[in-house]
Amino acid sequence: KQEVTQIPAALSVPEGENLVLNCSFTDSAIYNLQWFRQDPGKGLTSLLLIQSSQREQTSGRLNASLDKSSGRSTLYIAASQPGDSATYLCAGTGAGSYQLTFGKGTKLSVIP
Amino acid sequence: GAVVSQHPSWVICKSGTSVKIECRSLDFQATTMFWYRQFPKQSLMLMATSNEGSKATYEQGVEKDKFLINHASLTLSTLTVTSAHPEDSSFYICSASGRGLNEQYFGPGTRLTVT
């Protein structure tokens, strides 16, 4: 059974700092890898989707990469802002399946 | 992008009563819908997967007689929590996917509190 680990569980950084969030899977046979943002008490906002044939995706100050051989993904946030404060979740699907397996998330706090 | 709504956004009910949560795809046909549950400071746990017109597939440990899922149309799925108890208090999130879509689209979630 696929298990997803996110490190660190919580992170506090000063505004303007670059940071990296990590995600690892016990089963490296990941098909799609997705990063989400969740604000307190809210649903999920999809940030980046790395499809099976891709290794990374970029959107603005966000860059996500996936190393299938090691079953690891990273989310890089450049020039962090207080508005980036949220919980970031990674999730993956297996081949031929829509089912997403989620990590517990990393709670990010960006201090002004 | 594809939009999914949930109703209600929050609900408080008394122990022993039943609660229905709706999940709608607003601008696409959702051939598959998923229901997740999230406890505080925990990740999303998949409860069940439903395909339009067929019975839902429940994950291990999820009581299908307690959590009734109906996916009768391509734009609507409902989750009914029957005989709710305080331990059912949680954040319930649905997602949907359809033909030609390569990812799930998530609803805003429903906060259920059972007193």
Side-chain angles (χ1 to χ4, degrees):
Chain A
K1 181 183 177 183
Q2 178 74 275
E3 292 184 2
V4 183
T5 302
Q6 289 190 244
I7 296 173
L11 179 64
S12 183
V13 300
E15 181 178 2
E17 192 163 295
N18 302 327
L19 59 102
V20 175
L21 307 181
N22 297 289
C23 174
S24 62
F25 296 79
T26 53
D27 183 352
S28 61
I30 303 157
Y31 194 69
N32 288 345
L33 188 286
Q34 202 161 356
W35 282 91
F36 297 87
R37 168 184 173 139
Q38 186 176 30
D39 291 287
K42 303 293 185 181
L44 303 182
T45 299
S46 180
L47 298 173
L48 292 165
L49 167 67
I50 302 176
Q51 299 187 55
S52 60
S53 59
Q54 302 169 329
R55 290 191 175 181
E56 68 174 322
Q57 282 288 334
T58 298
S59 176
R61 294 181 294 108
L62 305 180
N63 174 273
S65 64
L66 173 62
D67 181 350
K68 290 191 175 184
S69 63
S70 64
R72 296 176 185 270
S73 176
T74 58
L75 177 66
Y76 175 82
I77 302 177
S80 58
Q81 302 172 357
D84 295 331
S85 298
T87 296
Y88 290 81
L89 298 164
C90 72
T93 64
S97 172
Y98 282 124
Q99 289 194 7
L100 282 166
T101 301
F102 283 85
K104 289 188 177 181
T106 294
K107 185 176 182 180
L108 173 65
S109 298
V110 181
I111 312 302
Chain B
V3 180
V4 175
S5 70
Q6 276 185 246
H7 179 80
S9 56
W10 60 271
V11 58
I12 301 173
C13 70
K14 291 186 177 181
S15 185
T17 63
S18 295
V19 174
K20 180 184 286 188
I21 302 170
E22 293 185 349
C23 177
R24 293 181 184 273
S25 58
L26 300 185
D27 52 3
F28 68 100
Q29 293 186 328
T31 52
T32 305
M33 285 186 166
F34 304 84
W35 287 95
Y36 297 84
R37 180 168 52 183
Q38 185 180 35
F39 291 108
K41 297 186 179 181
Q42 296 295 314
S43 188
L44 277 74
M45 297 300 295
L46 180 65
M47 299 175 67
T49 303
S50 71
N51 293 300
E52 185 266 338
S54 60
K55 289 184 178 180
T57 302
Y58 290 80
E59 294 300 300
Q60 192 173 11
V62 178
E63 300 174 58
K64 62 180 181 180
D65 294 331
K66 181 172 182 63
F67 298 98
L68 302 179
I69 292 172
N70 183 284
H71 189 173
S73 80
L74 284 172
T75 59
L76 174 64
S77 175
T78 59
L79 168 67
T80 301
V81 183
T82 62
S83 187
H85 289 100
E87 57 265 32
D88 298 324
S89 298
S90 187
F91 192 54
Y92 292 85
I93 304 177
C94 73
S95 70
S97 190
R99 294 187 189 92
L101 300 176
N102 58 5
E103 62 180 287
Q104 297 177 32
Y105 294 89
F106 285 79
T110 297
R111 172 73 60 191
L112 170 64
T113 302
V114 185
T115 60

